[in-house]
């Protein structure tokens, strides 16, 4: 359980520092260091994932204490889903049709890993979540250069939700 928790933490670190932080930095740099943009990126890009980390930590803590119950699995998988949405680790670029729907489907599938809890041990749920986080981290690393190029070319694309969705703030 401890090893699975450490792998999960390493994968989350990998996701954040490989994809989320450099993209936020690029958007902030494109804004010229605008304080309102910095605050928005902090509030939207860091607070949500921070609370998701706390939720996952409480779930892993319950598993490691031996007092795990069904809520521990939901804390871990729901926290991971929130973290992935908050960091935009599985965000799809504007060329992907239904990209936002796919992003929500990945987050939903992540949360549904908790349904494995009756079949496998709570430690197994931590292991499954850690393995899934490693897969997502590898995907985020693989897609990062293309995402960064797209965001560098059009920083506002970071805030758009899909190819058929215009930027609502512009109107």
């Amino acid at each position: 359980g401890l090893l699975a928790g450490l792998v999960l933490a390493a994968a989350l670190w990998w996701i954040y520092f490989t994809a989320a932080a450099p993209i936020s930095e690029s958007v902030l740099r494109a804004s010229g260091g605008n304080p309102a943009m910095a605050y928005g990126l902090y509030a939207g890009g860091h607070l949500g994932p921070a609370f998701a980390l706390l939720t996952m930590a409480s779930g892993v803590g319950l598993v490691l204490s031996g007092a795990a119950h069904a809520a521990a699995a939901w804390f871990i998988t729901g926290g991971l889903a929130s973290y992935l949405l908050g960091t935009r680790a599985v965000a799809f670029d504007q060329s992907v049709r239904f990209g936002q729907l796919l992003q929500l489907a990945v987050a939903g599938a992540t949360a549904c890993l908790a349904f494995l809890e009756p079949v496998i041990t709570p430690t197994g749920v931590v292991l499954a979540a850690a393995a899934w986080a490693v897969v997502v981290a590898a995907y985020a690393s693989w897609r990062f250069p293309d995402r960064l190029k797209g965001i560098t070319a059009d920083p506002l694309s970071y805030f758009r939700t899909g190819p058929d969705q215009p930027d609502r703030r512009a109107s």
Side-chain angles (χ1 to χ4, degrees):
L2 179 61
L3 183 60
L6 291 173
V7 169
L8 178 60
L12 298 175
W13 182 274
W14 181 9
I15 289 168
Y16 181 78
F17 285 106
T18 299
I23 287 174
S24 293
E25 181 183 341
S26 177
V27 171
L28 183 59
R29 189 177 308 116
S31 77
N34 182 329
M37 179 66 71
Y39 176 75
L41 288 171
Y42 171 74
H46 292 100
L47 291 179
F51 286 114
L53 286 172
L54 290 172
T55 303
M56 285 184 281
S58 66
V60 171
L62 284 171
V63 169
L64 293 178
S65 72
H69 46 79
W74 288 104
F75 285 165
I76 295 164
T77 61
L80 180 56
S82 296
Y83 185 84
L84 295 178
L85 287 173
T87 59
R88 295 183 176 200
V90 289
F92 296 94
D93 61 15
Q94 300 301 309
S95 65
V96 175
R97 189 160 180 83
F98 304 113
Q100 187 176 17
L101 186 61
L102 286 172
Q103 184 179 0
L104 290 174
V106 169
T110 302
C112 287
L113 289 173
F115 287 124
L116 293 174
E117 193 269 332
V119 179
I120 61 176
T121 65
T123 303
V125 173
V126 177
L127 185 60
W132 180 244
V134 168
V135 168
V136 170
Y139 170 79
S141 295
W142 174 64
R143 292 291 301 151
F144 174 73
D146 292 335
R147 286 188 64 210
L148 189 60
K149 281 181 197 172
I151 288 173
T152 302
D154 180 16
L156 290 178
S157 68
Y158 179 79
F159 301 103
R160 292 193 192 111
T161 57
D164 301 328
Q165 309 266 332
D167 186 7
R168 294 188 179 121
R169 290 176 306 284
S171 54

